[in-house]
């Protein structure tokens, strides 16, 4: 068996921004149209090929965004190699809260690779967050930014693969499997 890497990835953001939909779209290739509130955390895995000659397994921890799970989240963050900071482009408050999510992840994980993700670009006509605002926030965090749609699949695979590559290149959290 070829040795590979296991990367624990956390997906964080306010309730309802599409964290579960993004994760299911990536891990299983389909979209769930109804809202599924995550109770605590849901766990998904997917093998990815970065062309490095070794397999990479992403262990994706989809965290509950509700305030009532705040005390539990640090337990889920332990050992994370990277993460996605997700907001809904049609919900200005979810965007405003990204800084809190960024600070929370840094407090419990240190400076791990992160990507800012503006989800629901299929609802562009309902956009409440400007491209300029998104760009400024990503630059202030010094992290990449993607816009995705879990519904259409736009950029979903790209963002997870970019994160896996980012983790691999920074050599944080990779464990032989």
């Amino acid at each position: 068996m070829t040795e590979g890497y296991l990367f624990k990835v956390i997906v964080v953001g306010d309730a309802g921004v599409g964290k579960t939909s993004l994760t299911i779209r990536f891990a299983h290739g389909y979209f769930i149209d109804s809202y599924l509130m995550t109770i605590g955390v849901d766990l998904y895995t997917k093998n990815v090929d970065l062309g490095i000659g070794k397999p990479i397994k992403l262990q994706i921890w989809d965290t509950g965004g509700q305030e009532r799970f705040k005390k539990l989240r640090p337990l889920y963050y332990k050992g994370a190699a990277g993460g996605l900071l997700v907001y809904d482009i049609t919900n200005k408050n979810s965007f405003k809260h990204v800084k809190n999510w960024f600070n929370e992840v840094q407090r419990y994980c240190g400076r791990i690779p992160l990507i800012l993700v503006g989800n629901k670009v299929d609802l562009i006509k309902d956009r409440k967050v400007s491209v300029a605002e998104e760009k400024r926030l990503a630059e202030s965090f010094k992290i990449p930014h993607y816009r995705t749609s879990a519904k259409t699949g736009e950029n979903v695979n790209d963002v997870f693969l970019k994160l896996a590559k980012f983790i691999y290149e920074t050599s944080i959290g990779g464990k032989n499997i």
Side-chain angles (χ1 to χ4, degrees):
M1 180 176 181
T2 304
E3 283 189 26
Y5 298 98
L6 173 65
F7 296 140
K8 179 178 177 178
V9 171
I10 54 175
V11 182
V12 302
D14 283 4
V17 299
K19 298 181 302 292
T20 299
S21 294
L22 280 171
T23 304
I24 290 173
R25 170 63 85 172
F26 175 69
H28 300 298
Y30 60 86
F31 177 72
I32 295 177
D33 210 13
S34 58
Y35 177 66
L36 301 171
M37 181 176 79
T38 301
I39 306 298
V41 70
D42 284 333
L43 186 62
Y44 301 87
T45 60
K46 181 156 181 170
N47 295 320
V48 298
D49 181 6
L50 296 181
I52 60 170
K54 292 184 178 189
I56 292 177
K57 180 182 276 190
L58 297 181
Q59 185 182 71
I60 306 162
W61 292 57
D62 170 24
T63 64
Q66 293 81 4
E67 185 66 25
R68 65 183 170 168
F69 300 121
K70 188 173 184 164
K71 291 184 180 182
L72 291 175
R73 280 194 299 265
L75 301 172
Y76 306 141
Y77 294 166
K78 185 177 181 180
L84 302 179
L85 302 170
V86 184
Y87 63 94
D88 173 352
I89 69 160
T90 70
N91 180 331
K92 188 75 163 197
N93 283 333
S94 73
F95 180 74
K96 289 178 182 175
H97 297 155
V98 168
K99 187 167 186 162
N100 297 333
W101 290 105
F102 179 79
N103 290 335
E104 183 174 291
V105 169
Q106 290 220 310
R107 180 170 43 254
Y108 295 107
C109 301
R111 185 82 177 156
I112 61 172
L114 296 171
I115 295 178
L116 182 63
V117 179
N119 194 33
K120 303 188 184 180
V121 296
D122 54 291
L123 302 175
I124 195 74
K125 65 180 175 22
D126 299 321
R127 176 186 277 278
K128 301 285 189 285
V129 181
S130 74
V131 173
E133 289 174 299
E134 295 168 332
K135 186 176 179 181
R136 274 194 305 273
L137 186 61
E139 287 173 354
S140 75
F141 293 158
K142 296 180 176 69
I143 63 174
H145 174 254
Y146 276 78
R147 291 175 203 91
T148 61
S149 170
K151 186 172 188 174
T152 67
E154 184 178 342
N155 287 330
V156 174
N157 286 345
D158 293 344
V159 78
F160 279 96
L161 292 173
K162 174 71 174 179
L163 182 61
K165 187 175 182 184
F166 195 8
I167 294 167
Y168 179 76
E169 288 173 350
T170 57
S171 301
I172 297 174
K175 299 175 187 170
N176 287 332
I177 56 173

